[in-house]
Amino acid sequence: MAACILLAAAIADQRTREIPLVLNGALSVLGILRIWSGGVPADEAVIGAFCVSLPLELLLRVSRGRAIGGGDVKLTAVGGLLVGWRLCVLAFWIGGLLAVLLNVPHLGKARAGHMVAFGPYLAAGFLAVFLWGREILLFLTDKF
């Protein structure tokens, strides 16, 4: 279910540069259900909701929306609620890495004021941690 909502959020953000509030709301309901079912500890979920979204909220305010959008902030908050703080940080890192790798080749062709929708990359990061997050964390913590 979360994967379908993330896909819808990614498509909406890519097309309109906005993530509909109803999609973030649906993800937050899934996050609360996941806490109630014991899928993620409540303390990790609450920390996850804020660990990435608060710095992004600060970036949003300082940049006046030129660096990040409000939908991206909300998506990281509800994503953190779903997966906890460790996987939220990992999802953000994966999304950022994907955004850089897939957009660097186009930087020379980008016109002034061109904005890259970050929601699709965040959604991909959260999908990756849904599927392989624990394995990626084990790999990273074993190597470093």
Side-chain angles (χ1 to χ4, degrees):
M1 177 73 99
C4 293
I5 298 169
L6 285 169
L7 178 61
I11 292 170
D13 195 32
Q14 185 64 39
R15 289 184 178 171
T16 66
R17 301 296 189 262
E18 289 186 22
I19 299 173
L21 191 56
V22 68
L23 296 177
N24 281 323
L27 285 172
S28 66
V29 168
L30 291 178
I32 292 167
L33 290 174
R34 190 165 161 147
I35 293 167
W36 283 341
S37 71
V40 64
D43 57 344
E44 287 199 22
V46 171
I47 294 169
F50 294 105
C51 69
V52 176
S53 64
L54 280 180
L56 289 182
E57 178 68 25
L58 179 63
L59 180 61
L60 172 71
R61 291 173 188 254
V62 168
S63 72
R64 296 186 185 133
R66 291 186 302 267
I68 196 91
D72 301 324
V73 174
K74 293 176 189 92
L75 186 59
T76 58
V78 297
L81 192 64
L82 273 168
V83 299
W85 73 269
R86 289 175 186 89
L87 293 179
C88 182
V89 171
L90 181 60
F92 179 72
W93 184 83
I94 291 170
L97 184 63
L98 285 172
V100 168
L101 291 175
L102 295 174
N103 285 289
V104 164
H106 305 291
L107 287 179
K109 297 180 265 183
R111 61 191 184 283
H114 175 72
M115 299 289 288
V116 174
F118 192 44
Y121 303 105
L122 282 175
F126 279 108
L127 184 57
V129 300
F130 287 152
L131 297 173
W132 308 292
R134 303 240 182 262
E135 292 82 3
I136 295 169
L137 280 181
L138 287 173
F139 173 78
L140 292 174
T141 55
D142 185 45
K143 299 298 178 192
F144 296 105

